[in-house]
Amino acid sequence: MIWKSNRHIPALAFARQAILALLLAITFSVDADDLHYDVIFTPKLQKAYFDIQKLKLPSARALIDAERSTEKTNAFIPYLDNYADLHYLLISEDKKAYKELSQLENPRLEAIGNLPDNSPYKRFLQAEIRMHWAFAKLKFGNEVSGSWEIIKAYKLMEENKKRFPDFLPTLKSLGLLHVLIGSIPENYGWVTKILGLKGNIQNGIEELRIVEKEVPFFRQEAELIDLLLHAYTLQLSPTQQSRLRQWPKQQPDNLLIHFFATTVLMKEGRSDEAAHYLAEAPSGDSYISFPFLEYLKGEINLQKGSYEQAAEHYALFLKKYNGFNYIKDSNLKLFMCHWLNDKDQEANIFIQKIKTTGSAIIEADQLAERVAAEFLSGKISARQKVLYKARYATDGGYLKTAAALMETVTEKSFVSTEEKAEFNYRKGRILQKSGQPASSIPYYNRALTIAKQEAAGFGAASALQLGYISLDKNDKPSAVAYFKKAMSFKKHEYKNSIDNKARAALTTLGQ
């Protein structure tokens, strides 16, 4: 096992945008005297490619099917078939479709394998298809198989780079892989060495930026991958934050771009702004059904403390959704909507559902299981309501609300080590996000001091933030020490994401 499945890796898989004018103007074909198999972007296939990237899958599939009879040997068709299937599977989480469509991977790889060896598209498109299936398999919990797909894609891309060093599209996907491999936690490093995988975050970003500058056709895709890697593994620059806000305005009919803008802004603690892009997201029969948008609306309302509205959106998500991730988490949030609103009897209905519904692949669902078990065993008491309210408000960027909540309690208001650690972490996080990093340090240090096994998550999170604060102060030795400390905590629900961020930061520091 190399990569733990989470919500961010599939997001990267969506990052495939191109400029429509170029799509409609460029046709690629392979130059070979005896060629019987081509890579040709016909006008209809170009439109299909563009529609997939907007999540307009019905029209995209119709366009692909219209070309299938006359473009029987066009290697771009099996690629687009696979590309559309990836988007459908990641959004729908349709287990039956996943089982059926996964049988088409090998035939599609074989079809592209008919390209001659002197075609730079042969290994490139095969690697892309393997990456598609890597993300799909990770999403569906098949971690070992998904990891092997990543390894195979990497090998194909490396070989393509050696054979065709001037074929720059290779760098788009290879750059992504170099960043992902470079951010693997240290305890898995031996695996990558044995398998011959080489990761380097800085090199990966540089490769992506070469594509952004030199390959107009893949420019936006490479730029979006770059942005998502910074949002979920590194840190967004002011320029990237500005670019993120421009895209939905430039492409008002692009559902995927609106989704990314919403989720990244929410991650950055700007839920009020994210709500605007979510409200402006296009919808209708021409787009794939996307129930997860209801979940995001629930999240924003929960952060605002609008519990009744949040509950309506979570319930609508569960009604429309046929997938398996975020089921436990949504039931936990429905519990919170009632419990934090002092409707404890109604809340108990949802806490009971968590153990028996959904899966526990992603961190959010794993956390829901743990919280439910602790609540039902009496480890979570009413005194923690203020901590949960402050947490959600902080996550959404409602910092004045969060600060006012935390002013009503002190560390002495709590009993357990975990409660005390969380109190200090919450205080530190509010101050840090409010532009007072120096004032947050004592609280983070206090959380770090009292964190034991039962509070490992808050200890690790505090160490990570202290690392970022030290980095901003240009105190490299302290930053390195804190990032390593963050990774030293064992067996907590945030370990995968915290370790990835700490490892990425250490790599950029040359460690």
Side-chain angles (χ1 to χ4, degrees), residues 373-402:
E374 290 182 356
F375 182 85
L376 293 172
S377 66
K379 292 182 180 179
I380 294 177
S381 66
R383 64 178 173 267
Q384 289 177 251
K385 287 185 180 183
V386 66
L387 293 177
Y388 279 104
K389 288 179 179 180
R391 171 195 172 179
Y392 293 131
T394 304
D395 288 346
Y398 305 106
L399 300 178
K400 290 183 179 179
T401 299

Side-chain angles (χ1 to χ4, degrees), residues 166-446:
D166 295 329
F167 185 69
L168 296 183
T170 302
L171 299 182
K172 171 185 62 68
S173 299
L174 196 56
L176 168 60
L177 292 176
H178 282 154
V179 174
L180 292 179
I181 295 166
S183 62
I184 289 173
E186 191 172 13
N187 56 319
Y188 287 118
W190 63 273
V191 179
T192 61
K193 290 180 181 178
I194 289 174
L195 296 171
L197 306 180
K198 296 179 181 179
N200 185 297
I201 292 174
Q202 193 56 45
N203 285 353
I205 296 298
E206 289 173 1
E207 287 169 334
L208 285 167
R209 289 180 178 173
I210 288 172
V211 178
E212 291 173 34
K213 290 181 179 180
E214 304 294 337
V215 189
F217 183 79
F218 288 114
R219 178 175 296 146
Q220 187 164 303
E221 177 180 354
E223 187 179 0
L224 188 52
I225 292 172
D226 185 355
L227 183 149
L228 292 172
L229 287 169
H230 278 82
Y232 292 111
T233 303
L234 304 167
Q235 288 183 306
L236 286 172
S237 69
T239 300
Q240 288 174 317
Q241 292 181 20
S242 176
R243 183 70 175 124
L244 178 71
R245 291 169 171 81
Q246 293 172 5
W247 269 330
K249 298 173 184 176
Q250 293 170 349
Q251 300 186 36
D253 65 336
N254 193 319
L255 177 55
L256 184 61
I257 290 291
H258 282 77
F259 168 69
F260 279 139
T262 299
T263 55
V264 173
L265 286 168
M266 288 178 68
K267 179 194 169 297
E268 294 291 303
R270 300 178 181 276
S271 286
D272 263 351
E273 193 175 358
H276 168 75
Y277 292 105
L278 187 56
E280 294 293 321
S283 61
D285 293 341
S286 59
Y287 295 90
I288 184 175
S289 176
F290 206 164
F292 192 71
L293 301 182
E294 293 295 338
Y295 171 90
L296 295 177
K297 293 175 184 176
E299 293 282 275
I300 293 172
N301 278 285
L302 177 61
Q303 292 166 352
K304 291 169 64 176
S306 302
Y307 300 123
E308 292 183 2
Q309 293 93 322
E312 290 176 1
H313 287 296
Y314 287 124
L316 191 56
F317 165 67
L318 290 174
K319 181 179 179 181
K320 293 181 176 180
Y321 184 59
N322 295 316
F324 48 86
N325 289 318
Y326 294 99
I327 302 296
K328 294 179 185 293
D329 178 67
S330 292
N331 278 303
L332 174 64
K333 300 298 175 53
L334 282 164
F335 161 78
M336 289 292 177
C337 288
H338 293 86
W339 188 58
L340 297 179
N341 207 19
D342 296 323
K343 297 181 179 180
D344 292 16
Q345 189 172 353
E346 293 96 324
N348 286 333
I349 296 171
F350 298 102
I351 203 76
Q352 297 288 346
K353 290 182 177 182
I354 293 173
K355 186 176 181 180
T356 58
T357 60
S359 65
I361 297 172
I362 60 172
E363 287 182 351
D365 289 325
Q366 294 167 7
L367 176 61
E369 276 195 340
R370 184 179 74 82
V371 172
E374 290 182 356
F375 182 85
L376 293 172
S377 66
K379 292 182 180 179
I380 294 177
S381 66
R383 64 178 173 267
Q384 289 177 251
K385 287 185 180 183
V386 66
L387 293 177
Y388 279 104
K389 288 179 179 180
R391 171 195 172 179
Y392 293 131
T394 304
D395 288 346
Y398 305 106
L399 300 178
K400 290 183 179 179
T401 299
L405 287 164
M406 293 303 290
E407 285 298 315
T408 66
V409 290
T410 67
E411 185 182 313
K412 292 181 180 179
S413 303
F414 304 100
V415 177
S416 71
T417 300
E418 186 167 15
E419 290 172 352
K420 292 177 183 291
E422 181 173 2
F423 166 81
N424 284 283
Y425 174 75
R426 297 289 168 222
K427 289 282 287 188
R429 198 74 180 107
I430 292 166
L431 288 165
Q432 183 188 8
K433 285 193 166 190
S434 298
Q436 304 175 61
S439 298
S440 72
I441 292 174
Y443 290 103
Y444 283 141
N445 278 326
R446 175 62 178 160

Side-chain angles (χ1 to χ4, degrees), residues 72-97:
K72 293 180 180 179
T73 61
N74 189 344
F76 198 49
I77 286 180
Y79 170 79
L80 286 178
D81 283 334
N82 210 72
Y83 194 34
D85 290 346
L86 170 72
H87 286 71
Y88 173 75
L89 292 173
L90 292 180
I91 292 171
S92 72
E93 295 186 358
D94 184 335
K95 287 186 176 180
K96 182 179 178 182

Side-chain angles (χ1 to χ4, degrees), residues 449-500:
T449 299
I450 64 177
K452 297 179 181 178
Q453 185 173 357
E454 64 268 29
F458 295 115
S462 295
L464 181 70
Q465 296 307 323
L466 286 167
Y468 287 138
I469 291 171
S470 298
L471 202 58
D472 289 340
K473 291 162 60 178
N474 204 29
D475 184 353
K476 181 177 176 180
S478 294
V480 169
Y482 281 125
F483 288 135
K484 288 183 176 179
K485 181 67 175 177
M487 295 172 65
S488 72
F489 286 89
K490 309 297 182 185
K491 296 182 180 180
H492 58 88
E493 65 271 20
Y494 310 112
K495 185 163 182 60
N496 185 58
S497 57
I498 287 177
D499 280 12
N500 282 346

